[in-house]
Amino acid sequence: MATVSRAAAGTDASVIRASLADPDRFATVYDRYAAMLYRYAYQRVGPEIADDVVAETFLAAFRGRASYDLGRQDARPWLFGILTRELATHHRRERARYRAMSRSAHETVQDGPADQVAARVVAAAARGPLAAALADLAPGDRDVLLLVAWGQLSYDEVADSLNIPQGTVGSRLSRARRKVRLALRDIDPTMTTEEHHEI
């Protein structure tokens, strides 16, 4: 069976529009984004509830598809916004996960090329303080930071997904990065090398 390319299947907006008459078409949106949303949810709340949160996200998206702004061709910000609201109901679970990670033993470094070993040692050393810093962030600040760092959304997309002004995204991200940098002694793994040089 031939795989239909994304271009042939249409933009997210056109797929959602078509799903209003043919609900089965919404499966295309699921196929495009389920793995991405699952990875994000897994990092935030762990495997025990990531499946349920993603399922609830797509159920809410399906039910609310008639109100989707068809002028927005990319549904990622919309879906991440729904997912963020679903995750908010698990905020205690998320904070407990980060606290547990901050106390857990560092992962064992395995033999391998020197660069790989060095990278794993640095990552293991940062894991505890990073998890503790994430647990201590205000929920809104954490949402913005993780949508940028793990969800790979732009500032505009984060503003769309959370329905907040872009200026609020910038201030929350700045505040979150400052706290994370402090916890990691001025090393923020959510920033690119270029951003480090700008500070």
Side-chain angles (χ1 to χ4, degrees):
M1 182 174 177
T3 303
V4 178
S5 72
R6 183 184 174 111
T11 65
D12 296 339
S14 66
V15 170
I16 292 169
R17 182 187 299 113
S19 77
L20 298 175
D22 179 6
D24 290 343
R25 292 287 305 276
F26 197 78
T28 300
V29 176
Y30 178 88
D31 293 341
R32 287 177 181 173
Y33 298 113
M36 178 187 302
L37 294 180
Y38 178 80
R39 283 191 300 272
Y40 181 78
Y42 180 98
Q43 289 177 289
R44 289 196 61 170
V45 294
E48 299 84 8
I49 53 178
D51 278 325
D52 291 340
V53 171
V54 171
E56 289 298 322
T57 296
F58 278 103
L59 181 59
F62 178 78
R63 289 177 175 161
R65 72 192 190 284
S67 63
Y68 180 76
D69 178 358
L70 296 172
R72 299 181 187 274
Q73 300 302 306
D74 183 357
R76 270 183 334 125
W78 177 61
L79 292 169
F80 270 106
I82 297 169
L83 178 59
T84 299
R85 288 188 293 279
E86 293 294 334
L87 287 169
T89 65
H90 298 281
H91 70 279
R92 286 192 185 101
R93 175 69 172 232
E94 182 178 17
R95 287 192 71 204
R97 175 176 167 76
Y98 294 140
R99 295 244 184 255
M101 287 171 61
S102 73
R103 292 188 301 268
S104 69
H106 301 312
E107 72 177 65
T108 303
V109 177
Q110 299 176 359
D111 292 333
D115 289 344
Q116 210 173 30
V117 171
R120 293 184 91 178
V121 168
V122 170
R127 180 180 176 187
L130 175 60
L134 291 175
D136 289 339
L137 290 176
D141 293 353
R142 184 168 52 238
D143 288 340
V144 167
L145 177 70
L146 298 182
L147 284 169
V148 170
W150 292 348
Q152 299 181 342
L153 297 184
S154 69
Y155 288 23
D156 286 342
E157 291 171 332
V158 173
D160 286 345
S161 69
L162 299 180
N163 198 26
I164 58 176
Q166 192 175 9
T168 302
V169 171
S171 62
R172 287 183 183 180
L173 185 60
S174 177
R175 187 168 48 240
R177 281 180 165 166
R178 187 171 54 251
K179 290 179 180 178
V180 168
R181 259 196 314 274
L182 182 63
L184 297 179
R185 295 185 181 93
D186 295 324
I187 299 171
D188 182 352
T190 67
M191 297 175 71
T192 64
T193 304
E194 293 78 17
E195 287 174 308
H196 275 297
H197 291 309
E198 289 171 8
I199 291 177

